[in-house]
Amino acid sequence: MPQHEMILAGSASEHLGRAVSELLGVPVVGKELRRFPDGEMQVEVIDQVRGSDVFILQATSPPVEAHTMELLLMADACRRGGARRLVAVIPYLGYARQDRRTGCKSLGGRVAADLITTGRFERLMLVDVHTPAIEGFFSTPIEHLTAVPILANAVSHRLGQHSIVVAPDFGAVKLARAYARLLGLPIAFVQKTRLDGEAVATHGVVGDVRGRAPLIVDDMLSTGGTLAAAVEALRAAGALAPVGVAVTHALLVGSAREVLQSLGLSFIATTDTVPIQPPEPSIAVASVAPIIATAIRRTSRDESLLDSPAAKSRTHGE
Ligand code: R5P
């Protein structure tokens, strides 16, 4: 790979920046992030980026607003430093769940998209974004990457012929189909209604889960409320216990760790799109660095991502 590519990692994704840099043999741009006494941030790019294509890695995970601002400041510093083109690799996109307006409420997904667009990135790379339809909020072209193949691979040895892939809500059915296809398993889904940021209600399970060992799959786990409700609905529907879980983004906010403990899960697998801090020994973490590295390599060679296992359009294509 020619050396005119560089990686710049924000504070939410420094681990991925290092891993991707090693995989590609591409340098990480040195930077300093300073805070003024009033809390404002300033980014300084230490290395020469003039004429380079800079791939900026930054999950807009909690604290979402700070990580988003840092992403935009990094882009600005690179542009002012003469970078040729900028690509934002956003392993987890915050605000993506706010994709529909109800009543007089704000539409956070659209506002976040507008903000990121001000970074004037040539492309964005997103991993298992909450809904691929979010692309409609952006004028910037998007590459949809998926961690489903690496997670399916990570959990396959824990599954048997009586396993079943379960989507904890209707929105996760496409993702569940992608897992089911790779694992050769049937699928079912839980009918869920979200009551507020933490509480959800379920209304039964669609599909026959009796005597089957569920693998619940989802794009993300935040408070654990969705997972807890799905486990309860599956027990009520006659599924075997315990339950296995695969989620791309483990935010683990609020009392999520206690919720996970209380569910007596057989295993839980996730990725490092959002680092788990402090680490949770009961959660197996597979890195998305290889899929990001592949996507960066192909993009810099002007190759299509469509025949790559990392490309969501293939694994999730219907
Ligand atoms: C919802 O549509 C998402 O796919 C997840 O199921 C949900 O956001 C997880 O959040 P929590 O763990 O707080 O229920």
Side-chain angles (χ1 to χ4, degrees):
M1 187 163 174
Q3 281 304 308
H4 63 258
E5 279 86 19
M6 301 182 93
I7 305 283
L8 174 60
S11 52
S13 300
E14 278 168 357
H15 60 298
L16 282 173
R18 283 191 297 275
V20 170
S21 150
E22 272 176 32
L23 286 168
L24 293 176
V26 164
V28 176
V29 179
K31 73 152 202 314
E32 270 186 33
L33 175 66
R34 294 188 198 94
R35 287 256 181 201
F36 289 102
D38 58 6
E40 291 178 1
M41 281 182 274
Q42 183 186 55
V43 169
E44 180 177 359
V45 168
I46 308 292
D47 296 318
Q48 180 65 258
V49 294
R50 186 166 297 282
S52 297
D53 294 347
V54 184
F55 292 83
I56 304 181
L57 275 69
Q58 173 80 323
T60 55
S61 51
V64 184
E65 294 77 13
H67 284 157
T68 304
M69 190 65 187
E70 186 186 344
L71 170 67
L72 297 174
L73 293 174
M74 288 190 288
D76 189 63
C78 287
R79 183 161 289 104
R80 291 177 195 281
R84 192 175 64 164
R85 66 171 179 162
L86 302 179
V87 174
V89 182
I90 307 177
Y92 167 75
L93 179 69
Y95 280 88
R97 287 183 291 176
Q98 295 188 40
D99 58 344
R100 272 163 295 181
R101 182 182 64 83
T102 51
C104 242
K105 295 176 187 154
S106 54
L107 184 57
R110 173 63 202 236
V111 174
D114 282 350
L115 266 178
I116 291 169
T117 302
T118 64
R120 289 185 283 140
F121 299 103
E122 182 173 285
R123 307 191 86 69
L124 305 177
M125 294 181 181
L126 310 178
V127 182
D128 287 334
V129 67
H130 178 62
T131 168
I134 201 101
E135 180 157 8
F137 289 176
F138 289 91
S139 50
T140 313
I142 290 179
E143 305 287 3
H144 292 280
L145 309 182
T146 181
V148 170
I150 57 166
L151 281 173
N153 188 43
V155 301
S156 59
H157 68 287
R158 308 295 300 257
L159 306 172
Q161 54 177 351
H162 296 303
S163 298
I164 186 166
V165 177
V166 178
D169 54 31
F170 188 68
V173 166
K174 258 186 154 180
L175 194 74
R177 282 208 193 107
Y179 275 97
R181 230 183 343 255
L182 289 170
L183 295 167
L185 293 173
I187 72 164
F189 74 94
V190 178
Q191 301 194 71
K192 175 189 104 174
T193 314
R194 180 163 286 287
L195 305 175
D196 58 38
E198 284 192 48
V200 299
T202 58
H203 318 281
V205 176
V206 176
D208 189 0
V209 295
R210 283 172 302 173
R212 287 191 169 271
L215 168 68
I216 298 180
V217 300
D218 209 347
D219 60 320
M220 61 186 289
L221 192 157
S222 182
T223 64
T226 298
L227 181 60
V231 168
E232 196 182 310
L234 286 166
R235 280 184 191 144
L240 296 177
V243 169
V245 175
V247 294
T248 304
H249 316 290
L251 301 190
L252 302 187
V253 305
S255 52
R257 287 171 196 257
E258 291 76 44
V259 172
L260 292 181
Q261 295 276 320
S262 72
L263 294 177
L265 303 167
S266 59
F267 61 88
I268 172 158
T270 189
T271 76
D272 55 357
T273 55
V274 179
I276 299 178
Q277 287 305 341
E280 181 62 55
S282 61
I283 300 181
V285 180
S287 182
V288 293
I291 64 171
I292 291 175
T294 301
I296 289 177
R297 184 188 294 119
R298 289 187 175 223
T299 300
S300 32
R301 291 177 181 167
D302 284 331
E303 291 172 5
S304 167
L305 298 192
L306 289 183
D307 56 351
S308 153
K312 191 168 195 167
S313 45
R314 178 173 179 193
T315 48
H316 290 192
E318 301 269 29

